[in-house]
Every structure is written in C-alpha cells, then in structure tokens.
Amino acid sequence: MNLLKLYNLLFMLVFVVVFNSCDSKEINSVEDQNFNKDWLFQKEAPEEAKNIVFDDAGWRKLNLPHDWAIEGPFDKKYNARTGGLPVHGIAWYRKHFTVDNKFSQKQISIEFDGAMNNAKVWLNGEYVGERPYGYIGFELDLTKYIKFGEDNVIAVQLSPEDLAARWYSGAGIYRNVRLKMNNSVHIPQYGTYITTPKVTSKSAEVSIETKIKNAGTSVSKAQLQTSVLNAEGVVVVEKSSEITVNSKSEEKINVSLSVENPNLWGIKNPVLYTAISKVVVDNKVVDEYETKFGIRTIEFDKDKGFLLNGNAVELNGVCMHHDQGPLGTAINFRAKQRQMQIMQSMGVNALRTSHNPPSPEILKACDELGIVVIVEAFDEWKIGKVKNGYNKFFDKWHERDLRDMIKRDRNHPSVIMWSIGNEILEQSKKDGWKITKVLNDICHDEDITRPTTVGFNYYPAPFTNKLAYEVDIVGMNYWPENYKEILEANPDMILYGSETSSLTSSRGVYHLPIEFTERHSTNHVSSYDAIVGPPWAYAPDVEFDAQEKEPRSLGEFMWTGFDYIGEPTPYGGRDNSTHGYWNDDWPSRSSYFAPVDLCGFPKDRYYLYQSQWTTEPMVHVLPHWNWEGKEGETIPVYSYTNCEEVELFVNGKSFGKKVKGKDFTMIPAEYHEFDKGMYKSKYRLSWNVPYQPGSIKVVAYNKGKEIVTKEIKTAGKPAKISLVADRSEIDADGNDLSFITVKIEDKDGNMCPLSDNLVNFDIQGEGVLAAVGNGDQTSLKSFQASNRNAFNGMCLLVVKSTENSGSISIKANSKGLEGSNISITTK
C-alpha cells in the first residue's frame, strides 16, 4: 500500500469515528429512574405529613402503582355509581430517598403518569406543585429542594372527592413514577414531535422536531445526533445538527430524514421504529432520549371514509374505561395488553379512551397490536355532570391539560383523532361553540396531523347551536337512525358512531321468557341480549344495520368493550345526568354493558360482534343446556356466525338449517327512535326447541360445505376444578401477571354453567396473589381475598411475579370437588 492510500484510509477512519460514534464520547447522562418502590402510605394522616420531620414509622409500606379504593371494602355508604368502593377521602404517600453528591450539578425532577386526584406535592417540607386532574401526567422540578447526600422526603397528598366521577375512578398514585436526573442541557418532557409528511412504498420523510432546554447560566453550543432504528434495532438513517441554546431557555430544532423502503405501521402490520436523540456538549453525551413511532399515513374522506396508508378501514371500535376489573386502576402493562388482545380477538380494530386521557401503557399496547385510537380529553367542560367533576378545574387547567395530553401522545402511530369532549352539556347552549373552537384550535396548534372530534348525544342541539361545525369529524352517541339525515343536511361532513348500543347483559344468565324486563329479581340481565335498560340503548343489530345502510360513516365505537366497575345500569335507579347516589338496587355495583365481563370472560354478545367483525369462520350457540325441571318446555336457541348458514342438532336430531341474512330473529326492542315492539334481526339465527337433557350442536356451512361446529352438553354434578393459565411463563420483574381461568366441571370435563362453588387458592414460590374475580356485578367479596365463588361456572385468579426467577405453584381446592394445581415459570 503506497503512502497516499494509507493517508486516505486513515482520514476516512478518523472521519467515521468522529461523525458516527457517540459511543466513543464520554457518557454524562443518567437514565430516568423507576421511582415506584418503597413508598409509605396512610389514609387520613394529618397535614403535618408534608414535613420532613414526621413519624411515619407505622405507615404501610408498598410499591406503586397503587389504587387504595380497590382494596375496599364494598359498602352501601359509598356510591354504587363509582363501584360502592371508597374512591374519595384524603390519603398521603411518603418516600425517603437519597441523591448522591456526585449528582449535585444535575437538574432533578419527578414525573407522575397520573395521580387520582387533586395531587399536591412537597419535598423536604417545601411545597413543589399540584395537579388536580387525575388522568393527566405531570412533571415537577425538585432541584432547589434536594439535599444531596442526605435523606430527602417527598410527600404526596391526594384528596379525591365524593361525587367527582360518573364511573369508578380509583384512588391513589395509580400510574408509574420516575425520578429524572438531567444535565443543564437536556431534552425536556415530551421533547420530540415526529411526523411522516411524505410516505411512499420506496421512501418516507421522517420529520423530527426536538426541543432542547438549557437550564444553566451560560449559552451552550450543542450537537444533536438523531438516529432512526428499525424494528430489529438496526440504524437505517442518522443525522447530526448544531444548535445554540441561550441560558434559561429552550430551542427547537427540526431534522428531516429519509427512510428507504419503509415498513409501514398498520392494523395487520404494527411495525415500530425508534428515534434516538443524543445531545452532545463538549464531546460529552449529556442526554439521550428515545421515541417509538410508526411510519404511516392517515386520511379522512367524506366518501371513502378512514384511510390508513391509503387503504379504507371500517372502524370496528370499542369505548373503554380505564379500570382493569379486579385489579382496579393501578396500571399494569400486561393487564392492558390482555384487555386489548381479547378485544382484538372479537374483531376490534379501534379504541376510544372514554372519557379521559389514557395511560401510556394502553397506547403502547395499541401501537404494538395494531389498534387505532381516539384519545379523549374531557367528560365535562364548564358545566358539570357531577358536583365535583372536572368543571371545577376547567377554567384554570383545561389548556395545560389538553396540550400536555397531545404532546405526550402525538408520537403514537395508533392515535388517529383527538376527542375534546364527551356528551358535554354545552351542546344545549347557544354559545357552546365558542369553547369548542378554543379547544379545537389548541389541538391544531399542538398537532397538525390529526383531526378533532366530539361525542355528541343531544341531537339536533350540536347542529342547531353550531358546536358540530367547530370540530373536524362529528361523533354521534346513540343516533344510528339519523346518520343519513345528518349527512344529507351536511354533505361535506365526516361522521361516525362515537358511542353505540349500550346493551346490557350478565355472563351466563338467561331469563325466560324473552321480554321487555328492565330489572329482574336476580339483579342480573339476560344474555339473550334483548333490550334492557336505558332509553338511549339498543341492540347491536340496530347499529350493524345502520352502518350497512350508511357507508359514508367511518364505523362505530360500541359501549363498552369490557365491563367496568361502577355505573350499574339498568340497576341503581338513576340515569346518566343524575348527580346523586345510585344505590337503589344494591348490591349491583358494576356495569353490565360489555360483551366481555369484568374478568375478561366473553359473554354471548362477544360472539355476535365477532360474527360481524371477523372473517375466520366461527359459529356460536346459546344458551347453556342445563334446564332441570323444564323438560318438554320450549327453550329459544340462538346462533351467531360469519358463515352463510347454520344447522342446529338437538341430541343428534336436526332442527333444520337457517340462512344468515334471510332467516330473521325477532327480539324485543325499545329505543328513543322507535316505539316499543319487536325488532327483526338478520344477524341472529334462532330455533325454538323443546328441552331434553343431552346436547345442542350447531354446524356452520359455506356453499353447502361444513366449515365449523360448536356443541354444548348438559353438565352433570360439579366434580372437579380446571385451571388454565393465559401464559405459563412470565417475566420475573415484580410486575408481570398470569391470568388463570378457573372452571367448575363435571366428571366428563363439561363446564357446570350454574355452579357457584367457593374455590380456595394457595400460591407458593416466586409469585403473589394480585386479584380474584368472577364477573358477578353483584358480588361484594374482596378482589384481594385468597378465595372466590364461581359465577355461572367460572372465576379468575391473577398471579403476579416477584423479582426472582423460578416457579409459582398454584393449588385450587373446593369442598366436595377434586382439586387442581398448575405451575407458572418466571424468568
């Protein structure tokens, strides 16, 4: 090799090292610290708990996230509308911690993903800040209050009020907390904004706006190195930029990168990229910031509907409250992931976060699963629905809460719309459009890529009072018969069903005869899924038909995907605008609205939606076939399928074929758009069968060919317990969960559909009991007990890992039954 070639080679090596390898630079940044462990908790503690010198030796020790209300007890003195649980009161959290002297030049802050609610924070007896809205994350600067190298005490007071929510809100520091130790020059909270303005199959423009903060006292010159990594962690493009940031100020820098042959994020291909933003000052990496994002395009067209990457997608959506059933509201990623996986198996491709900003965890789950999301901000504006709701804070906090929500969530590819309100009472006011415009403009100011929406329910008020014309896309709650009328009057409008159906039922409960019974002596609702409950509610069949008739609608978001704690419609004796208590039908304390119960067990309605929203051949039959004492009496049998026709066999004898869309089922119906009577459904097939013990079997056909079957047998006496874990291996991180379905079976393995046996659990090894449940909306037993009665043959055990790898041994026993055991591995 000659000397010139050697010089050239050395030059290229030096250039590559200097330009590309921040890894060769001194790393002077500190990762955000998980701040969930080793808190102290006490309800009704005195105000002095904010002080650094305070005797907290007797306080309860726990880790966050924590929901004190889910611990109970259930009591009629609490409001059944919020679950009959203690969601209000004053409680304190304290944490002792030390920050090493070596971090004395850092900027120290604490970030809460949410605290329910009216949070006030002190550090070492000094008041730091507050945030009343429990659903929004917030960050507080602790720097000037920190005692480096000494004991520090952070104290958080929460004071959720009675009559502050229309559903179960939970109570406590129920989302994750982090301690941040930044250098003077760093990327602050919500510091990146990523858009993909130009996307083709060959290349995508990725625009990354990065905010850099200089908390120091002198001007700083920095280098921002931005890298984009694909799903395999390989850098596909990177760029360096120079920036000067004055002292005590922030600057934004825009970087545009081109990703070749992009892998587009979509419902069937939820591929994520990662942006790594490194800030370098004086050849030191002073901050590193990671942002997950997806490359995709969204468009809304009045004729074509919702377009994702140019392809039309009908929104098969659900509304969801934020609780996790027996686990309460203490956020857990696996619990959220499981919820959305169950929804996805029903055919769901969209979520509306009713009626508040969601947790980061559920958006992460939707990003990874390929479920699009409407993120909703408020259930109230200035006019309250409940005495102590968000209306108390709206004037002071609405702008900051809305901006923070958008800045936090706008990099999620799953998010497709911002909802600024749900059923807000300003619809009935002539000047309500003014607030609508203010909120709409805030959304557009923070994010230029997504449209705004509202869920309107007082038709035609939002059109008469012009609120509907101040948002980009109109959501209608419970007006399926009026979609065509609205669109004909507003030909350029884009519309969808933002909240639909509100039918109610209880898993495994069947009341005969099928009739207009609003309430039943059992405090349950029949799973034959005829109309029961509020005047705005209607069968899913009505919405299916409305969506078919009006293809310009984007789709629907049915109420709700999962049952939730609180709001036990049709029980409680109240409607949705009542401020008071809902305890008239105690012990009803949880909702009946969903096709999936509080534990995640499908009701029959789950299969009705699946028959419309999925293409993998399926067939379902109901009811159970244990009707002792009704031999010879007529039992209605229903079947749901996405195949062409179904044949019913009873004890091997055919009762004939029925063709979907041709053979109709008459169901009782009453709704504010049509009078009480019978609704002719083309989505259900039915037969009237004289009962005899044995079995019912349905066979589904396409083009005359047998495709799929389902059979239900008459069960004998309860004989044994069956345990089935959703996952037999979980992470040993102290947070991961295994959901174990518990069934009561006869000696032949048939589930006993009427059994209510008490099952006792024993857990040994590297796991602890997280919760128990059974989906019974009237049960007042603790979600945290070591036993649970089956409800219509089933209950649930949730086990949480420790931080040690090994195994978890679970035994289940019940008097008179053969016990069962199962083992879960933790790694």
Side-chain angles (χ1 to χ4, degrees):
M1 181 181 292
N2 63 38
L3 193 59
L4 179 59
K5 287 184 177 180
L6 179 61
Y7 282 150
N8 287 336
L9 178 61
L10 289 173
F11 174 80
M12 288 301 297
L13 287 173
V14 170
F15 177 82
V16 169
V17 169
V18 170
F19 183 79
N20 281 330
S21 73
C22 265
D23 292 337
S24 69
K25 297 180 174 65
E26 182 181 345
I27 305 298
N28 194 33
S29 62
V30 179
E31 289 186 4
D32 295 348
Q33 307 295 302
N34 181 309
F35 211 55
N36 288 336
K37 289 186 177 181
D38 302 324
W39 286 76
L40 303 172
F41 172 75
Q42 184 69 42
K43 290 189 73 174
E44 307 300 336
E47 186 75 16
E48 289 73 25
K50 66 185 180 184
N51 297 329
I52 188 169
V53 178
F54 179 82
D55 184 7
D56 55 18
W59 284 28
R60 176 181 167 189
K61 297 179 180 179
L62 53 78
N63 294 333
L64 305 178
H66 175 238
D67 174 6
W68 84 62
I70 201 65
E71 299 169 359
F74 291 103
D75 197 305
K76 194 174 182 180
K77 70 182 180 182
Y78 303 122
N79 196 346
R81 190 176 198 181
T82 48
L85 288 166
V87 296
H88 60 273
I90 297 176
W92 287 81
Y93 293 82
R94 284 168 58 90
K95 179 179 171 71
H96 296 255
F97 66 103
T98 303
V99 179
D100 195 284
N101 279 316
K102 68 181 180 181
F103 299 122
S104 61
Q105 300 303 310
K106 303 289 186 185
Q107 301 293 308
I108 314 295
S109 63
I110 188 169
E111 183 178 38
F112 296 85
D113 283 343
M116 189 62 66
N117 61 340
N118 295 318
K120 296 182 178 180
V121 182
W122 289 262
L123 179 62
N124 297 328
E126 300 290 337
Y127 183 69
V128 179
E130 64 184 66
R131 198 62 172 256
Y133 196 25
Y135 295 103
I136 199 71
F138 61 99
E139 183 175 313
L140 298 171
D141 188 353
L142 306 180
T143 308
K144 66 181 180 180
Y145 308 112
I146 288 283
K147 298 181 178 181
F148 292 95
E150 302 179 33
D151 182 49
N152 293 272
V153 178
I154 191 162
V156 181
Q157 182 199 62
L158 298 175
S159 55
E161 296 180 277
D162 194 13
L163 301 177
R166 299 194 298 125
W167 55 83
Y168 178 74
S169 59
I173 307 179
Y174 73 113
R175 292 181 180 171
N176 289 299
V177 183
R178 287 168 293 280
L179 190 71
K180 297 182 174 182
M181 292 186 280
N182 287 311
N183 290 300
S184 295
V185 178
H186 63 277
I187 299 172
Q189 185 187 39
Y190 317 142
T192 58
Y193 176 29
I194 302 180
T195 58
T196 52
K198 296 179 182 178
V199 178
T200 70
S201 60
K202 293 183 179 180
S203 68
E205 179 187 340
V206 177
S207 177
I208 305 179
E209 177 188 280
T210 306
K211 186 183 295 183
I212 298 179
K213 180 177 182 178
N214 181 3
T217 57
S218 59
V219 175
S220 180
K221 292 184 177 180
Q223 181 190 70
L224 173 67
Q225 186 179 58
T226 305
S227 305
V228 173
L229 285 64
N230 64 17
E232 290 73 40
V234 177
V235 175
V236 294
V237 63
E238 60 184 356
K239 190 173 186 178
S240 291
S241 308
E242 305 293 330
I243 186 172
T244 299
V245 189
N246 292 326
S247 64
K248 307 296 182 183
S249 67
E250 295 181 354
E251 295 289 341
K252 293 178 182 177
I253 183 170
N254 289 287
V255 175
S256 182
L257 306 102
S258 181
V259 174
E260 301 304 311
N261 302 311
N263 201 343
L264 303 189
W265 186 94
I267 287 171
K268 295 183 179 180
N269 187 53
V271 174
L272 296 172
Y273 286 81
T274 304
I276 303 293
S277 306
K278 293 182 180 180
V279 181
V280 180
V281 176
D282 295 333
N283 212 39
K284 297 178 181 178
V285 178
V286 297
D287 198 11
E288 184 171 329
Y289 195 94
E290 179 179 302
T291 310
K292 294 284 186 180
F293 71 100
I295 298 175
R296 55 98 174 112
T297 64
I298 59 170
E299 182 183 355
F300 297 84
D301 184 273
K302 67 183 180 66
D303 297 314
K304 298 177 182 179
F306 169 58
L307 303 174
L308 179 61
N309 299 322
N311 300 310
V313 176
E314 182 176 1
L315 298 176
N316 299 329
V318 293
C319 302
M320 293 269 280
H321 277 316
H322 73 141
D323 75 69
Q324 301 153 136
L327 291 163
T329 62
I331 192 64
N332 182 282
F333 174 73
R334 173 56 193 156
K336 288 298 181 192
Q337 183 187 56
R338 173 181 179 261
Q339 282 186 329
M340 297 317 300
Q341 286 172 335
I342 291 170
M343 290 292 91
Q344 202 169 46
S345 71
M346 191 176 77
V348 168
N349 61 18
L351 168 70
R352 176 179 175 228
T353 70
S354 312
H355 300 292
N356 45 259
S359 65
E361 284 74 12
I362 196 163
L363 293 184
K364 179 178 185 290
C366 289
D367 283 347
E368 294 175 354
L369 291 171
I371 296 172
V372 298
V373 183
I374 298 175
V375 171
E376 195 151 80
F378 308 119
D379 187 49
E380 295 178 356
W381 293 347
K382 293 171 74 73
I383 305 174
K385 299 175 186 176
V386 285
K387 180 181 178 181
N388 295 311
Y390 189 76
N391 65 91
K392 295 177 65 172
F393 313 117
F394 184 86
D395 284 342
K396 181 178 180 181
W397 287 97
H398 73 269
E399 181 171 0
R400 185 171 178 187
D401 286 342
L402 183 56
R403 287 187 184 277
D404 280 358
M405 180 192 83
I406 294 170
K407 285 187 285 190
R408 186 197 68 174
D409 296 342
R410 63 190 178 184
N411 293 324
H412 289 277
S414 59
V415 176
I416 61 169
M417 275 191 260
W418 305 116
S419 173
I420 57 176
N422 169 69
E423 299 183 355
I424 39 89
L425 300 184
E426 280 81 355
Q427 291 172 86
S428 300
K429 302 298 180 181
K430 289 185 177 180
D431 62 351
W433 66 270
K434 295 179 181 178
I435 298 178
T436 315
K437 184 179 188 308
V438 167
L439 298 175
N440 179 77
D441 290 348
I442 290 171
C443 293
H444 289 166
D445 184 52
E446 291 293 346
D447 178 33
I448 61 173
T449 70
R450 296 175 180 89
T452 59
T453 188
V454 168
F456 295 114
N457 65 322
Y458 290 151
Y459 182 72
F463 300 91
T464 304
N465 296 321
K466 309 302 181 186
L467 282 77
Y469 305 111
E470 296 297 338
V471 291
D472 301 315
I473 297 176
V474 172
M476 295 303 300
N477 291 8
Y478 310 110
W479 293 94
E481 301 295 308
N482 298 86
Y483 295 157
K484 183 176 181 180
E485 174 186 324
I486 294 168
L487 289 172
E488 285 184 350
N490 303 276
D492 292 326
M493 182 170 283
I494 302 175
L495 174 146
Y496 67 105
S498 44
E499 198 168 308
T500 65
S501 187
S502 262
L503 192 68
T504 56
S505 62
S506 303
R507 178 184 54 79
V509 172
Y510 305 96
H511 296 151
L512 296 175
I514 302 172
E515 58 185 1
F516 291 98
T517 304
E518 183 172 343
R519 292 178 176 84
H520 192 274
S521 59
T522 61
N523 275 39
H524 282 293
V525 183
S526 175
S527 200
Y528 275 112
D529 292 322
I531 286 301
V532 180
W536 66 84
Y538 50 89
D541 319 52
V542 176
E543 189 69 34
F544 295 155
D545 195 44
Q547 294 291 335
E548 280 188 35
K549 289 177 178 176
E550 189 42 78
R552 289 174 293 177
S553 169
L554 301 179
E556 66 163 310
F557 290 78
M558 57 84 63
W559 188 263
T560 54
F562 263 64
D563 274 347
Y564 54 93
I565 303 172
E567 204 171 26
T569 304
Y571 298 101
R574 299 290 183 268
D575 65 30
N576 76 325
S577 60
T578 303
H579 289 203
Y581 273 42
W582 277 32
N583 294 12
D584 292 11
D585 296 302
W586 189 261
S588 290
R589 47 73 174 159
S590 292
S591 86
Y592 300 75
F593 285 117
V596 171
D597 74 12
L598 208 62
C599 292
F601 300 146
K603 305 177 190 177
D604 293 292
R605 206 165 358 122
Y606 166 96
Y607 301 99
L608 180 57
Y609 280 98
Q610 193 179 66
S611 73
Q612 289 303 113
W613 289 355
T614 67
T615 56
E616 181 71 23
M618 57 76 59
V619 68
H620 178 66
V621 64
L622 66 122
H624 60 69
W625 209 237
N626 274 64
W627 295 94
E628 186 177 357
K630 291 186 178 292
E631 288 78 5
E633 295 184 25
T634 297
I635 304 294
V637 176
Y638 285 9
S639 180
Y640 309 142
T641 187
N642 55 14
C643 296
E644 294 171 356
E645 57 183 350
V646 174
E647 185 173 11
L648 172 67
F649 294 87
V650 181
N651 295 331
K653 177 184 176 182
S654 174
F655 272 66
K657 291 182 178 180
K658 297 290 179 76
V659 179
K660 186 176 180 180
K662 179 180 177 182
D663 293 306
F664 299 96
T665 294
M666 304 301 292
I667 57 174
E670 183 178 14
Y671 166 55
H672 61 64
E673 282 296 284
F674 48 77
D675 295 332
K676 185 173 183 177
M678 300 299 288
Y679 181 82
K680 186 165 68 172
S681 172
K682 64 180 180 181
Y683 305 100
R684 313 183 194 203
L685 303 174
S686 61
W687 300 257
N688 289 318
V689 176
Y691 174 67
Q692 290 297 330
S695 75
I696 51 175
K697 178 181 178 180
V698 284
V699 180
Y701 303 87
N702 282 335
K703 300 187 184 326
K705 182 181 179 181
E706 180 179 321
I707 301 297
V708 62
T709 69
K710 191 167 188 176
E711 184 175 19
I712 296 176
K713 295 181 179 180
T714 303
K717 293 181 179 180
K720 60 184 179 180
I721 301 168
S722 168
L723 300 178
V724 179
D726 68 331
R727 295 182 304 155
S728 59
E729 183 177 297
I730 62 177
D731 292 336
D733 60 3
N735 293 304
D736 206 1
L737 303 173
S738 180
F739 290 80
I740 300 166
T741 298
V742 184
K743 291 185 180 180
I744 307 300
E745 298 178 342
D746 68 8
K747 62 182 179 60
D748 297 318
N750 299 305
M751 190 186 80
C752 300
L754 303 175
S755 59
D756 61 357
N757 304 68
L758 178 67
V759 182
N760 298 291
F761 302 107
D762 179 65
I763 302 169
Q764 301 292 330
E766 299 303 335
V768 296
L769 186 147
V772 293
N774 61 13
D776 180 356
Q777 294 96 335
T778 68
S779 174
L780 301 181
K781 293 191 174 182
S782 171
F783 289 130
Q784 301 186 343
S786 60
N787 56 70
R788 195 65 167 183
N789 287 88
F791 174 60
N792 293 327
M794 301 173 71
C795 60
L796 178 74
L797 170 67
V798 188
V799 177
K800 181 186 288 187
S801 67
T802 67
E803 294 185 354
N804 301 316
S805 57
S807 65
I808 309 169
S809 176
I810 299 119
K811 295 181 180 178
N813 293 284
S814 182
K815 186 177 180 180
L817 302 183
E818 179 185 333
S820 183
N821 60 78
I822 194 171
S823 182
I824 307 296
T825 301
T826 67
K827 288 189 176 181

